[in-house]
Amino acid sequence: MILTTSMLKERYQDYANPLDKIKRDADNGLLIRLNRGIYETKRTVNPCLLAEVILSPSYLSFDFALSYYGLIPERVYAITSASFKVRKRKTFINDFGRYEYIDIPESAYPEGITVLEEDGFFQKIASKEKAICDSLCKWRPIHSVKSLKELLFEDKRINEEEFATCDFHLMLHLASLYKKTNLEYLIKLIKKEYLHE
């Protein structure tokens, strides 16, 4: 259960010093600190479900989402999320793991997001098409369709069969929202090799 300091102060209002009681509970492991002023009471929560609680607005994306959808073979150790207006990369480490937040352009932020639901938690996550676009927005710049394919399928080891199952109409729409060179080459790649209209 997510609890904030203000909720706990109300719960502990009969104590002489509610903040001391909160600190004691945290020291004794009854409260698990997620970020300043935010706590979780249950240790068995899937860590990825806490990402948006730690920093909002945000949604799971980048390597975490790519791994979740089976697009990359690697198991990831950080829970990565897209954010906006944070301005610089933010990292939080707590008992549940390492959480990283990276800004994407505000114009691209609200689209292509779905929701994970588990144990009463609702956590936003990029669709696989959005996770690819978000990642390309932050990966090293490329200068041709050929170098884009090398980046995707060789350097980043994106599974080509899984990539081929993407909704390319959705991906074209999403890619157009970033105004980034890498995404312009993604549009060219999709039109050249995946959509034959």
Side-chain angles (χ1 to χ4, degrees):
M1 178 186 211
I2 300 291
L3 294 169
T4 63
T5 298
S6 59
M7 292 163 72
L8 288 164
K9 281 165 82 174
E10 191 172 325
R11 177 182 283 191
Y12 298 150
Q13 61 185 329
D14 293 337
Y15 284 79
N17 191 329
L19 290 175
D20 281 351
K21 169 65 173 161
I22 293 168
K23 185 179 183 313
R24 278 197 307 278
D25 282 0
D27 290 344
N28 292 330
L30 299 173
L31 297 171
I32 307 141
R33 188 174 184 267
L34 300 179
N35 192 4
R36 189 164 64 186
I38 307 171
Y39 302 86
E40 171 58 55
T41 58
K42 202 169 148 190
R43 289 196 174 272
T44 55
V45 174
N46 183 337
C48 76
L49 299 172
L50 301 170
E52 193 177 356
V53 174
I54 293 168
L55 182 72
S56 183
S58 67
Y59 61 85
L60 297 167
S61 191
F62 307 112
D63 283 0
F64 180 88
L66 294 178
S67 176
Y68 176 82
Y69 292 118
L71 284 159
I72 57 173
E74 291 81 15
R75 186 166 166 229
V76 295
Y77 294 97
I79 296 167
T80 53
S81 295
S83 54
F84 78 92
K85 289 190 174 176
V86 173
R87 292 187 185 86
K88 61 179 183 177
R89 187 184 193 121
K90 283 196 177 284
T91 301
F92 300 92
I93 298 171
N94 57 40
D95 287 2
F96 288 97
R98 179 185 180 91
Y99 295 82
E100 296 177 357
Y101 300 83
I102 307 163
D103 269 5
I104 65 161
E106 189 172 348
S107 57
Y109 181 87
E111 299 199 42
I113 300 169
T114 185
V115 176
L116 293 179
E117 182 182 354
E118 186 182 312
D119 294 335
F121 284 85
F122 295 87
Q123 169 63 54
K124 293 197 284 288
I125 184 170
S127 64
K128 67 180 177 179
E129 295 81 6
K130 182 73 177 290
I132 291 166
C133 291
D134 283 350
S135 299
L136 278 170
C137 176
K138 295 301 172 183
W139 288 341
R140 64 175 171 79
I142 48 88
H143 304 289
S144 69
V145 170
K146 182 175 182 287
S147 60
L148 172 64
K149 289 176 73 174
E150 289 171 358
L151 175 64
L152 287 171
F153 305 125
E154 293 175 29
D155 298 356
K156 300 300 181 178
R157 299 173 67 204
I158 298 282
N159 181 309
E160 289 190 61
E161 288 181 11
E162 192 60 41
F163 182 84
T165 68
C166 285
D167 178 340
F168 290 108
H169 291 285
L170 172 61
M171 199 183 283
L172 279 178
H173 169 67
L174 294 172
S176 71
L177 302 173
Y178 292 80
K179 311 295 187 229
K180 298 275 186 179
T181 303
N182 282 8
L183 280 302
E184 289 170 11
Y185 282 111
L186 178 63
I187 291 169
K188 290 178 181 177
L189 172 66
I190 291 169
K191 287 180 175 178
K192 181 182 175 188
E193 298 191 19
Y194 294 95
L195 287 180
H196 307 288
E197 299 176 334

